[in-house]
Amino acid sequence: MGQQETVATSLADTVREGIGAALAEVDADLARRYPGDPGTRQPVHTVYVPGDAFTAGTLRSWGDQALAALDEHAPDAEALAAVLGIPAELAADVHDRVRAKLIREPIEDLRIDFEDGYGPRPDAEEDEAAARAAELVAAAYRDGTAAPYMGIRMKCMEAAVRDRGIRTLDIFLTGLMEAGGLPDGLLLTLPKVTYAEQVTAMVRLLEAFEKARGLESGRIGFEIQIETTQSILGADGRATVARMIEAAEGRATSLHYGTFDYSASCGVSAAHQSLDHPVADHAKAVMQVAAAGTGVRLSDGSTNVLPVGPTAQVHDAWRLHHGLVRRSLARAYYQGWDMHPAHLPTRYAAVYAFYREGLEQAAARLAAYVAKAGGDVMDEPATAKALSGYLLRGLDCGAVDVSEVARLTGLTRADLDGLAGRG
């Protein structure tokens, strides 16, 4: 028994070696196309601010306006819970964390908009706004007031606005380089993409900029905004969005759903354009499957119902927004757009409640899985990956703390990264 016993086999080693050789290209293709989670923090939202409205005080102003709305329309935990239906046992913790977030980091991802939110302007005016945006973003990263992620949305690659979009992007990126280099949190958005060739054009554009400025190839990535029917289903009947991810050559960071452009392109009337419309669900389901495993993340769209006016009207808008955010989270859309400062309280309330209400159960299941302790649920590696990803997203946004996750699971952040498959 001290020696390894020999078991009988029938196949020669050459059979195994031949199969390995035959599948070598498939192995390489799988590794290239489906690298898994990029291992970085994903913001819970994106805020769009027109290029001419963005200032050095924009982030703090949004935070202050959000706090003022919270204090006026839900001044304590009980009031916020009553409006949004947050369980009583979570109310105080969620309310406190929301307030702290609005003070510390009101915006996680800010996009300075040179597309729909900015519109057509004289070239000299847009040139100046793009250069100014670069100066302000560079200064914010230098002095520590920047959001974790910041960048611009340029005009699209359609013929009528293509040259203007390229010039604005060039001015912005050049300004950042002149001010000290590209920040780690840089994010760029390419809107209204209809053909994979437009994504390829964006790749070639960024390659040229990297070469001109002596940057490492692949340094600059970008988001693809899904706003047209052609981006979901092409004229050839294929899922265009999957071709767009491939055309990005590893530079695509995320897919952003555009609620109103996409709904309008499907003929949905204005009164029924919403994140929960069936056409939105179909588009996002296609996006989700196309992006799965590629390392490309997903972002839901926005609601245009603003929390303004008398308290009753604000509460109605808050309930709508809160419900839509919760719905997106349950469907594995962990990011969305916020259009108004008063959307921030309900964004964070929904996100924090989502991660806190499931914390103990997720932690217990993960701890049992790691300890091979069994229990009333038999979890597999894929479920352990999902459980650890859930805890990591809660940590990233401030919904849960490292100390309580460690106490409940006995695991470190590095342990969670490993279980989640983060690089």
Side-chain angles (χ1 to χ4, degrees):
M1 296 299 293
Q3 297 179 346
Q4 182 177 357
E5 295 185 12
T6 302
V7 296
T9 62
S10 301
L11 298 176
D13 288 345
T14 53
V15 175
R16 173 181 49 79
E17 293 165 357
I19 290 175
L23 292 177
E25 289 189 14
V26 170
D27 294 339
D29 201 48
L30 282 170
R32 179 181 66 84
R33 293 177 185 268
Y34 302 103
D37 192 281
T40 55
R41 172 185 178 183
Q42 181 180 11
V44 302
H45 70 164
T46 303
V47 165
Y48 282 79
V49 176
D52 57 340
F54 177 64
T55 70
T58 293
L59 277 81
R60 187 63 265 150
S61 174
W62 272 63
D64 291 343
Q65 291 179 67
L67 283 166
L70 185 63
D71 289 342
E72 180 177 356
H73 303 294
D76 53 39
E78 291 74 16
L80 185 65
V83 174
L84 303 180
I86 297 172
E89 64 272 17
L90 296 178
D93 198 7
V94 168
H95 186 269
D96 290 348
R97 287 176 185 270
V98 169
R99 281 196 60 85
K101 181 73 167 181
L102 295 176
I103 293 169
R104 181 185 74 254
E105 187 183 78
I107 296 176
E108 292 195 359
D109 180 25
L110 185 139
R111 205 69 71 252
I112 305 165
D113 192 14
F114 288 94
E115 203 231 356
D116 284 349
Y118 185 76
R121 307 288 181 95
D123 282 339
E125 183 177 340
E126 186 160 340
D127 283 356
E128 182 180 356
R132 178 171 153 275
E135 293 173 3
L136 291 171
V137 169
Y141 277 103
R142 280 197 307 270
D143 64 24
T145 61
Y149 298 97
M150 297 181 75
I152 67 167
R153 177 169 69 169
M154 60 190 283
K155 290 177 171 64
C156 70
M157 284 291 181
E158 293 178 358
V161 294
R162 181 187 305 137
D163 289 349
R164 180 63 259 180
I166 291 172
R167 180 172 175 82
T168 295
L169 181 64
D170 187 8
I171 292 170
F172 179 71
L173 293 177
T174 299
L176 290 177
M177 292 298 297
E178 295 295 319
L182 304 182
D184 290 339
L186 175 67
L187 287 178
L188 306 172
T189 305
L190 179 66
K192 293 184 175 60
V193 183
T194 52
Y195 281 77
E197 289 79 3
Q198 293 168 327
V199 175
T200 300
M202 183 68 166
V203 172
R204 300 287 90 83
L205 175 62
L206 296 177
E207 284 178 340
F209 185 88
E210 289 165 350
K211 184 176 181 180
R213 300 298 306 208
L215 295 170
E216 177 186 0
S217 178
R219 165 65 180 85
I220 309 172
F222 61 97
E223 303 165 334
I224 302 171
Q225 203 159 359
I226 305 300
E227 302 177 272
T228 67
T229 55
Q230 296 92 337
S231 62
I232 294 298
L233 188 67
D236 57 4
R238 292 192 291 174
T240 317
V241 66
R243 295 182 58 218
M244 291 176 179
I245 293 173
E246 176 70 8
E249 300 178 19
R251 292 179 185 264
T253 57
S254 61
L255 305 173
H256 283 232
Y257 177 68
T259 308
F260 304 104
D261 283 279
Y262 188 86
S263 297
S265 71
C266 288
V268 178
S269 61
H272 297 284
Q273 292 175 0
S274 175
L275 297 179
D276 58 358
H277 192 281
V279 302
D281 285 341
H282 171 259
K284 289 181 286 188
V286 175
M287 291 164 61
Q288 194 167 45
V289 173
T294 65
V296 177
R297 286 165 166 167
L298 303 169
S299 175
D300 211 338
S302 61
T303 175
N304 59 358
V305 179
L306 304 184
V308 296
T311 294
Q313 186 171 316
V314 170
H315 285 180
D316 286 342
W318 272 357
R319 279 188 285 267
L320 173 65
H321 183 239
H322 182 266
L324 290 171
V325 174
R326 289 281 314 199
R327 185 179 190 272
S328 296
L329 290 168
R331 286 159 175 75
Y333 269 74
Y334 300 113
Q335 183 177 353
W337 301 5
D338 289 326
M339 299 185 71
H340 189 275
H343 279 140
L344 301 186
T346 37
R347 168 69 61 181
Y348 291 124
V351 169
Y352 288 177
F354 177 78
Y355 289 115
R356 294 209 63 79
E357 68 191 19
L359 171 61
E360 292 194 4
Q361 183 184 48
R365 287 177 65 180
L366 191 59
Y369 171 83
V370 171
K372 297 180 173 58
D376 59 354
V377 179
M378 184 179 291
D379 286 325
E380 297 183 351
T383 307
K385 182 177 181 179
L387 290 167
S388 53
Y390 172 85
L391 295 176
L392 284 165
R393 285 189 292 272
L395 288 169
D396 285 342
C397 70
V400 300
D401 303 323
V402 171
S403 59
E404 59 185 335
V405 172
R407 174 177 55 82
L408 291 167
T409 65
L411 301 173
T412 66
R413 172 84 191 220
D415 294 330
L416 294 177
D417 283 333
L419 288 165
R422 290 192 173 189

